[in-house]
C-alpha cells in the first residue's frame, strides 16, 4: 500500500510539471484534467479544467468538462452554470459548422 501512495505522489508531481511546461496549450491540459480525475486529485483537475475553459470558451466540450469537475468537487451551482454555457456555445452561428450539438 505504501508503494501505491508513493507512486501516486510521484505521478501527480510529474503531471503538475507537465502542466507548468505547457503554458496555454489546451491539449495537455485536457489530458491532465482526465488524469487528475483518475488520481482523485480534484483541485488539480479543477485548475486545469478552468484553464481549458478560459482558453477554449467557444468549445462546448470545454464547458462540459469543467462542469463535470465542478460536480466532482461538490460545486453544483458552478456545474450548472457551465452546462448552460456549453449549451449556449452550440447555438452560435460560427460554431454550427464545427459542432452539430452536444
Amino acid at each position: 500500500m505504501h508503494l501505491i501512495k508513493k507512486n501516486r505522489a510521484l505521478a501527480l508531481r510529474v503531471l503538475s510539471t507537465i502542466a507548468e511546461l505547457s503554458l496555454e496549450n489546451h491539449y495537455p491540459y485536457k489530458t491532465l484534467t482526465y488524469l487528475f480525475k483518475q488520481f482523485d486529485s480534484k483541485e488539480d483537475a479543477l485548475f486545469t479544467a478552468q484553464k481549458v475553459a478560459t482558453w477554449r470558451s467557444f468549445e462546448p466540450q470545454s464547458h462540459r468538462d469543467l462542469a463535470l469537475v465542478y460536480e466532482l468537487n461538490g460545486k453544483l451551482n458552478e456545474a450548472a452554470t457551465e452546462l448552460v454555457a456549453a449549451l449556449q456555445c452550440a447555438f452560435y452561428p460560427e460554431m454550427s459548422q464545427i459542432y452539430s450539438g452536444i
Side-chain angles (χ1 to χ4, degrees):
M1 186 67 158
H2 178 66
L3 182 60
I4 293 172
K5 286 183 181 179
K6 183 177 179 181
N7 288 339
R8 180 185 182 279
L10 177 61
L12 288 172
R13 191 167 67 222
V14 169
L15 292 173
S16 296
T17 302
I18 291 170
E20 291 171 7
L21 295 174
S22 301
L23 298 175
E24 296 193 30
N25 185 345
H26 73 282
Y27 290 115
Y29 272 75
K30 276 187 161 190
T31 302
L32 288 170
T33 299
Y34 302 135
L35 291 171
F36 284 137
K37 284 171 60 177
Q38 283 182 324
F39 279 102
D40 198 35
S41 186
K42 297 175 187 176
E43 290 180 15
D44 291 322
L46 183 58
F47 174 79
T48 55
Q50 286 172 327
K51 289 288 189 184
V52 173
T54 299
W55 297 330
R56 308 292 288 184
S57 61
F58 56 89
E59 289 184 344
Q61 288 82 358
S62 298
H63 292 285
R64 181 211 54 208
D65 291 345
L66 180 55
L68 291 171
V69 174
Y70 273 134
E71 188 269 334
L72 184 67
N73 281 277
K75 298 181 177 196
L76 301 182
N77 288 336
E78 292 88 342
T81 300
E82 288 302 319
L83 286 176
V84 169
L87 291 171
Q88 289 173 336
C89 286
F91 294 104
Y92 291 137
E94 59 272 11
M95 291 289 101
S96 65
Q97 300 299 320
I98 301 171
Y99 303 108
S100 61
I102 296 180

